[in-house]
Every structure is written in C-alpha cells, then in structure tokens.
Amino acid sequence: ILSKYKQEHPEYLMGDVYGPSPDPFERWQRSALNYALGPVRSHVLGMVDELVTGYDIDVLELDFIRFAFVFRRAEAFAQRHVLTSLIRRIKEMCHAEGKRRGRPVYLSARVPDSLELGLRAGIDTREWLRQGLLDLVVIGGGYSPLTTEWENIADEARSCGVTAQACLNHGRFDKDVRRIRASALRAFEAGVSGLVLWNFWYCFDYYHPRGENPLTLDFTRELAEPDSLGRSELAISLDPSWDPLSLLGGAHSHHSWPGQVPMM
C-alpha cells in the first residue's frame, strides 16, 4: 500500500494517506499513484523498460485489478485517454524489444469485469482492443465466477482478433472442485479461450500440514479439456455481493461484477 517510492513521493498519490478517511474505497484511492501525473507514468515506463529489456520474458501483463485505482474517481472517465496513451507507449516498447531479439514480447492486461466497469475506472478496454494495443486480455479478478458476463469483453476481443481469458479466483470457491468446473464451463461457453487461476498457489502442499491439503491441482487437467467439463459433477451457486464498506469490498466492488443476479 505504501511502497518506498510512494513514501518518497507522497505528492504523486491521490490523497493524504494519513488523513481521516470516510470509507475503505477512499483509503485505497488515497494510497494509489495518480496516473494523471507525468512523473507517475514515467515511473511506470521505467519499470516496463527494466522488465522488457532486462529479462527474457514472453509476455508482459499489466494488472489493473490489483488495484483498479488509476485516477481519482471524479476524473477517471475523462482521463481514460491518458491511460490509453500510456498503454500505446508500452506496446511500442514491447514491439521494439521483440524486433530487436527476433522473438515477440506480447502484451496482456487484466482488466475490470466489463467494458463499462473499466470506463468508470479510466480503463478503456474496448479502445485498447480496437487499436491493437493488446495481444491478450484477462477478464476481471474472478470475484463473481458464476455470474460475470464474460462475453461482454470476450465478444469484443474476438472481433478484434485478441485472445480473451477468464480469471478464476481461489478465494471464491472454498476448495470446491465442482464449483470450479461449473465456473470454467460457463466461461468457455461464453467464448473465452483460456483461464487464469488467481491465487491457486495456495493449493501447494507448502501451505498445509503434511498430508492435509484439501485441494491439489489435479483438477487443472480437467480445465485443459473444456469438452469434458460438462460430464463431471457441477455445483452452481449465486455469487455473493461485495460490501463496499468492507476492506476488500472497498478495494474491488467498483470494478467487479456485483453478483447476486437472478439465475438463468
């Protein structure tokens, strides 16, 4: 929340992190870097340059879910072109490095659950896709895996020739493989090409007493065979809504599908 860079440059933050905060959203927003400021964008470009030119990577992913605070709430929509210009420069850096080494550096972005939710945060996913700035798009943080309308972004990505993946979040499944299967099947039927498993490293034996791991990663073999998912046991449930006054709700409710929609 307060990295060394932020402590050294409090003037680049969206607010006074030490002042009174009326709600969790405001506390998260105040501690975020304000991308409307040139020095912040230059700092980000410096990190991108280090990653792209200093490491033998195949894909650079920009994560706008951890956390989706880029501009002040009242300015986000009006400032969306600023972020689009930054993404364009990052894409150019990836292209230049790929050309230099003779192997592409692909650019991916993890974005809010829908095009509209992205715009509210200043993230213009549709424009990034239409301008060819992304090679891959990851939809959401996986907080509402059984209600998110994956096709909202997947359809747009397909029309632009970009691969779309759905994010499934370990924390929303209570280690219930049946729900993971159901969520994956929903996503594939909505047109995504693959899945991103977020925080599933908690399934490693390292995090559990010996012999007591309640969920191994064996189920991933099923996810790699989408046609087989419907032949397995499935469990469907409504996704819980975020409480915007809770700690995590304040961080994620503004960019996540609201959950608790009528089942169809």
Side-chain angles (χ1 to χ4, degrees), residues 67-191:
F67 291 94
F69 296 90
V70 188
F71 306 106
R72 292 191 176 99
R73 188 197 309 230
E75 303 170 354
F77 180 76
Q79 295 279 14
R80 66 194 185 281
H81 67 282
V82 175
L83 187 59
T84 298
S85 295
L86 177 64
I87 302 302
R88 186 179 300 108
R89 293 188 64 185
I90 293 174
K91 176 64 175 178
E92 291 169 353
M93 294 171 71
C94 291
H95 178 73
E97 178 59 20
K99 186 176 181 179
R100 183 194 69 80
R101 71 183 192 182
R103 194 177 83 252
V105 178
Y106 297 108
L107 183 61
S108 173
R110 195 162 74 118
V111 299
D113 288 3
S114 71
L115 299 171
E116 180 185 357
L117 287 169
L119 287 174
R120 295 182 184 185
I123 298 168
D124 198 342
T125 304
R126 175 185 281 119
E127 196 63 23
W128 299 357
L129 293 169
R130 292 184 176 181
Q131 291 189 27
L133 304 183
L134 299 179
D135 303 295
L136 175 70
V137 62
V138 179
I139 306 171
Y143 295 109
S144 299
L146 288 161
T147 48
T148 297
E149 292 189 353
W150 305 109
E151 58 271 20
N152 180 265
I153 292 177
D155 289 349
E156 185 71 32
R158 187 185 307 107
S159 70
C160 298
V162 178
T163 297
Q165 296 186 324
C167 180
L168 303 184
N169 193 314
H170 171 268
R172 307 306 263 185
F173 292 113
D174 297 323
K175 303 190 184 301
D176 187 343
V177 175
R178 300 170 307 159
R179 295 187 70 222
I180 298 173
R181 290 191 193 114
S183 300
L185 183 60
R186 256 191 100 246
F188 282 125
E189 288 182 341

Side-chain angles (χ1 to χ4, degrees), residues 49-70:
D49 181 67
E50 177 183 345
L51 290 168
V52 171
T53 63
Y55 298 87
D56 187 25
I57 64 173
D58 294 307
V59 181
L60 175 70
E61 181 168 282
L62 306 174
D63 190 350
F64 290 103
I65 300 299
R66 282 291 191 278
F67 291 94
F69 296 90
V70 188

Side-chain angles (χ1 to χ4, degrees), residues 170-243:
H170 171 268
R172 307 306 263 185
F173 292 113
D174 297 323
K175 303 190 184 301
D176 187 343
V177 175
R178 300 170 307 159
R179 295 187 70 222
I180 298 173
R181 290 191 193 114
S183 300
L185 183 60
R186 256 191 100 246
F188 282 125
E189 288 182 341
V192 305
S193 300
L195 304 170
V196 170
L197 303 181
W198 181 265
N199 275 357
F200 274 85
W201 42 264
Y202 281 123
C203 297
F204 296 160
D205 289 336
Y206 174 86
Y207 292 95
H208 305 274
R210 184 181 296 274
E212 296 184 16
N213 188 349
L215 178 64
T216 67
L217 291 171
D218 293 343
F219 69 89
T220 57
R221 296 188 180 93
E222 297 181 76
L223 304 188
E225 299 289 342
D227 293 339
S228 71
L229 290 172
R231 297 194 295 268
S232 303
E233 185 179 7
L234 306 176
I236 307 293
S237 63
L238 287 178
D239 291 314
S241 298
W242 281 112
D243 177 2

Side-chain angles (χ1 to χ4, degrees), residues 5 9 11-13 33-46 70-71 79 82-83 85-86 89:
Y5 181 79
H9 297 283
E11 71 276 16
Y12 296 161
L13 304 182
L33 292 170
N34 188 349
Y35 278 62
L37 303 177
V40 170
R41 300 195 299 277
S42 295
H43 176 65
V44 172
L45 287 171
V70 188
F71 306 106
Q79 295 279 14
V82 175
L83 187 59
S85 295
L86 177 64
R89 293 188 64 185

